[in-house]
Amino acid sequence: MELRQLKYFLAIAESGSFSRAAERVFVAQSALSHQMAQLEQELGTDLFHRSRRGVVLTEAGQRFFPHAVSILRQTEEAVLSARSSTEGPAGKVVFGIPHSVSSAMALPLLREVRRQLPRVQLELTEELTGNLATQLRAGQIQLAVLFDDGTLSAFTWTPLLRERMYLIGPAVQTPRRAARITLRQALSQPLILPASPHGVRPLIEAAAQRAGLAPPQQVTDISSISILRTSLLAGLGQTLLPMMPLKAEIDAGLLQATPVGAPPLERVLALCASPHIPLSAASQAVAQLVVGLVGELCRDKAWPGATLVPAAPAAPRAARRS
């Protein structure tokens, strides 16, 4: 097995086509096909389902994928280590952030990485949480912020903070607004929530089940913060979210946020990594920076409704498992 075969394999898997992969790695398609045939013969199994529409990974290919990513990443890390100096960690880190977290974390993280880790190339990708989990398992991203919905056992993870959730909807001019709303009352409202199993949807459904309540009264599935914002401002319903994604509209008096209590509705954000793919020095440095950054944002009250989770480990590599 050769490193170039692993590179070719990943190019094909990510491109979904031998021809596009050949262009990507600058080799003839016939040479690419020959190398894959040799690799499959050595492994004793097919890695791709081939059709006129392209190729997709077989089950064996899906199992092989994270190992190929890990081997190539460790090879790149070995090269960087050999060339390392006192200038600090270097390399590319792909970091996944959910839509509802990016407004709080993205810009501060970019600034701090540029300031503290100038040789690290940070790529931020904003996605639905379900998509981020899939990409993290496949090794397409190195780190991701996910929600502790009871399904994080597939990852190594560090709890970051606990975020209170609110019933958020169009501002209503009333003499006295309720200081809080019960979970039962919140679930009975016409709600706009992300499609299952993304975002806060599993957390809300699990909270309802634990409390012995009916599922949320959902009127629309919207998994985009920008479309959700427009829909709320248009009066199409309300949502259950932390305050931060819609803070500007709440501060402007266009939307109002009422905390949910009895029982309280909260979500725990966690910094996650794959347990099967070792983190590079650059990824470890970014992970440590994130933990410190989140602590600062919470202590400075720059993340409304958020409190630190006590005794969080320093980085995902050392984190507990659920």
Side-chain angles (χ1 to χ4, degrees):
M1 187 183 303
E2 301 177 9
L3 290 178
R4 64 172 177 172
Q5 291 176 326
L6 298 182
K7 292 179 182 178
Y8 295 167
F9 165 75
L10 293 181
I12 298 167
E14 292 169 358
S15 301
S17 162
F18 273 75
S19 59
R20 287 194 295 269
E23 294 175 358
R24 178 172 168 177
V25 296
F26 305 106
V27 299
Q29 184 174 340
S30 58
L32 191 70
S33 298
H34 176 70
Q35 290 295 328
M36 284 303 95
Q38 285 189 327
L39 179 60
E40 289 177 324
Q41 183 176 6
E42 181 177 350
L43 296 175
T45 187
D46 291 335
L47 297 174
F48 299 101
H49 291 299
R50 297 160 173 84
S51 71
R52 293 179 179 177
R53 293 178 294 179
V55 296
V56 295
L57 290 172
T58 62
E59 290 187 11
Q62 293 173 7
R63 292 192 298 269
F64 186 69
F65 187 94
H67 296 287
V69 171
S70 178
I71 292 168
L72 290 177
R73 186 173 296 160
Q74 289 181 70
T75 301
E76 293 171 1
E77 178 66 14
V79 172
L80 288 172
S81 178
R83 296 174 178 172
S84 65
S85 64
T86 58
E87 297 177 4
K92 182 176 180 179
V93 178
V94 186
F95 192 102
I97 301 183
H99 296 301
S100 62
V101 176
S102 63
S103 61
M105 181 182 285
L107 186 56
L109 179 57
L110 286 169
R111 285 173 171 163
E112 286 304 302
V113 169
R114 178 173 294 184
R115 185 176 70 87
Q116 298 186 38
L117 304 170
R119 300 175 69 231
V120 172
Q121 179 188 356
L122 181 66
E123 178 184 330
L124 292 182
T125 177
E126 185 183 26
E127 271 281 6
L128 299 171
T129 52
N131 296 341
L132 289 176
T134 299
Q135 293 172 15
L136 196 60
R137 281 192 292 267
Q140 295 171 292
I141 59 179
Q142 286 80 56
L143 297 165
V145 173
L146 300 176
F147 309 135
D148 180 12
D149 58 359
T151 64
L152 295 186
S153 58
F155 305 109
T156 302
W157 60 285
T158 298
L160 292 174
L161 57 80
R162 188 180 306 277
E163 208 172 12
R164 187 164 195 176
M165 294 172 61
Y166 298 76
L167 179 70
I168 302 176
V172 178
Q173 301 303 321
T174 57
R176 294 184 59 187
R177 293 179 179 175
R180 69 174 185 175
I181 190 171
T182 67
L183 180 59
R184 181 188 297 275
Q185 291 170 326
L187 294 175
S188 67
Q189 303 299 313
L191 295 175
I192 304 172
L193 296 174
S196 186
H198 300 293
V200 297
R201 179 76 171 269
L203 301 175
I204 294 168
E205 292 176 344
Q209 186 175 28
R210 286 195 302 271
L213 300 174
Q217 184 66 32
Q218 184 155 345
V219 294
T220 309
D221 288 335
I222 295 179
S223 298
S224 162
I225 289 294
S226 61
I227 300 176
L228 172 63
R229 180 183 295 110
T230 303
S231 301
L232 295 176
L233 292 172
L236 298 185
Q238 303 185 72
T239 193
L240 288 169
L241 266 184
M243 188 186 298
M244 194 63 189
L246 300 166
K247 184 176 182 298
E249 290 75 21
I250 295 169
D251 289 346
L254 300 175
L255 298 176
Q256 67 182 47
T258 306
V260 178
L265 190 59
E266 300 175 323
R267 69 179 184 183
V268 172
L269 272 60
L271 180 60
C272 301
S274 169
H276 308 297
I277 304 175
L279 289 178
S280 67
S283 295
Q284 292 179 42
V286 170
Q288 292 169 358
L289 186 151
V290 166
V291 174
L293 174 63
V294 166
E296 291 179 9
L297 292 173
C298 288
R299 286 188 292 269
D300 295 344
K301 307 300 182 182
W303 196 322
T307 56
L308 283 175
V309 176
R317 190 173 56 170
R320 65 183 177 87
R321 304 275 184 88
S322 65

